[in-house]
Amino acid sequence: MASRRATHDTLWRRIALTPTILVFLAMSILPTLNLMAMSVNEITWVDGKAVWSYVGFTHYARLAEDTLLIAGLKNTAIFAIVGVAIQVLLGFLLAWAVSRIARGRVLYRTIFILPILVPGILIGAVWKLMLNYDFGLVNGFIGVFGFHPVDWLGTRAWALPSVIMVDIWHWTPFCFLLLLAGFESLPQDVQEAARVDGAGTWAEMRYVLIPMMMPVIAVTFLFRLVTSLKVFDEIYLLTGGGPGSATEVISYTIYRTFFTQDRMGYGSAMSVAVLFFISLTMIGVLMAGRRGRNAT
């Protein structure tokens, strides 16, 4: 009887999930297949209609020679790795500090998450004014200490670090929220036992908190890494990929190829190649994480 009921429950769960799976396939698999079909065609417009001409893998062969695409990949990697590493570190320290506060934790949490609530278009406008060379608040602040004004968004040396700084300001609260939830779920008796044994702040952090928080840190880092690889709004609003190709990222390159240059076939080839590259990266990271867990 129990076995029949378990079989019935399993069958019912599968039937209940079927519509969701079909919607997922329709919204993800079909657009991907369409993108792959576009990538092996040259698409032109004749009398308002798209005309597809099969060109094979010609678009893919051009990718390795596209210097703008290579610059976009390099800047995207720097943007994602450096920005996310700093965000996770700052989020970890903020979450640790707030978790140790007995009273007023809700107030601090509310204050720290405010940047997440600001719309992207407003972030771009505000930071473009703040980083303005002539009247920006940042140059005004460093001028108080006798430093010369810096063209934060107009020079190759400072443009990418400035955009990374804005992204850190915007997304560190997200890491803070995830890591604070991790801190609040830790068993308190283990931490109290470490303090009773005479562990100082650093020893408790190194030997107790960081090892127990490592799964949450890994998930936070991986989640933000994936979303950072798709960065577009900060680049579009602050620098437009310039000066030169200093802040060119892959999302902006694809956008420009599609909508400014109207090269949909080549843009699709870029998208498929990047999708393939990101998928391989994620699989590699997940396999490395699984080997690490098995080793421990």
Side-chain angles (χ1 to χ4, degrees), residues 190-264:
V190 177
Q191 301 176 57
E192 292 171 0
R195 292 169 196 154
V196 169
D197 290 341
T201 302
W202 171 242
E204 182 185 351
M205 176 72 76
R206 181 179 178 184
Y207 298 109
V208 179
L209 294 179
I210 291 179
M212 289 197 298
M213 284 288 294
M214 193 52 71
V216 183
I217 294 172
V219 169
T220 304
F221 184 87
L222 189 60
F223 190 85
R224 273 299 299 141
L225 185 67
V226 172
T227 52
S228 288
L229 292 173
K230 300 185 296 181
V231 59
F232 176 81
D233 46 357
E234 286 99 338
I235 301 297
Y236 180 77
L237 295 167
L238 291 174
T239 63
S245 60
T247 58
E248 187 78 24
V249 292
I250 188 61
S251 299
Y252 192 74
T253 308
I254 293 173
Y255 160 79
R256 190 154 46 192
T257 305
F258 260 100
F259 299 105
T260 304
Q261 302 173 356
D262 200 19
R263 300 166 65 194
M264 289 184 287

Side-chain angles (χ1 to χ4, degrees), residues 44-249:
T44 55
W45 295 91
V46 178
D47 296 332
K49 295 182 180 179
V51 178
W52 293 37
S53 305
Y54 181 72
V55 294
F57 292 94
T58 305
H59 294 317
Y60 290 99
R62 295 177 186 165
L63 293 179
E65 302 172 355
D66 192 329
T67 55
L68 199 60
L69 175 66
I70 294 172
L73 287 172
K74 177 185 173 185
N75 290 334
T76 303
I78 295 173
F79 180 91
I81 294 173
V82 174
V84 172
I86 297 175
Q87 289 166 27
V88 172
L89 176 62
L90 292 177
F92 181 87
L93 294 175
L94 284 174
W96 171 71
V98 171
S99 69
R100 296 171 70 89
I101 297 173
R103 303 178 65 178
R105 188 179 300 180
V106 175
L107 175 63
Y108 285 106
R109 183 186 304 177
T110 304
I111 293 173
F112 287 145
I113 66 172
L114 284 179
I116 302 180
L117 307 178
V118 181
I121 186 70
L122 186 58
I123 290 174
V126 168
W127 276 99
K128 199 158 189 174
L129 290 173
M130 290 181 64
L131 296 173
N132 186 276
Y133 179 81
D134 297 313
F135 52 82
L137 183 64
V138 176
N139 276 344
F141 178 75
I142 66 174
V144 174
F145 299 96
F147 293 102
H148 294 290
V150 177
D151 192 359
W152 299 101
L153 300 175
T155 57
R156 296 185 67 88
W158 284 106
L160 186 59
S162 299
V163 177
I164 292 175
M165 180 187 66
V166 174
D167 193 67
I168 290 170
W169 176 85
H170 188 194
W171 286 109
T172 294
F174 178 79
C175 300
F176 159 76
L177 275 181
L178 293 183
L179 293 165
L180 180 62
F183 273 113
E184 291 178 340
S185 66
L186 294 180
Q188 295 298 317
D189 54 342
V190 177
Q191 301 176 57
E192 292 171 0
R195 292 169 196 154
V196 169
D197 290 341
T201 302
W202 171 242
E204 182 185 351
M205 176 72 76
R206 181 179 178 184
Y207 298 109
V208 179
L209 294 179
I210 291 179
M212 289 197 298
M213 284 288 294
M214 193 52 71
V216 183
I217 294 172
V219 169
T220 304
F221 184 87
L222 189 60
F223 190 85
R224 273 299 299 141
L225 185 67
V226 172
T227 52
S228 288
L229 292 173
K230 300 185 296 181
V231 59
F232 176 81
D233 46 357
E234 286 99 338
I235 301 297
Y236 180 77
L237 295 167
L238 291 174
T239 63
S245 60
T247 58
E248 187 78 24
V249 292

Side-chain angles (χ1 to χ4, degrees), residues 21 25 41 59 96 106 124 149 209 249 268 272 280:
I21 294 173
L25 291 175
N41 283 276
H59 294 317
W96 171 71
V106 175
L209 294 179
V249 292
S268 301
V272 173
L280 282 182

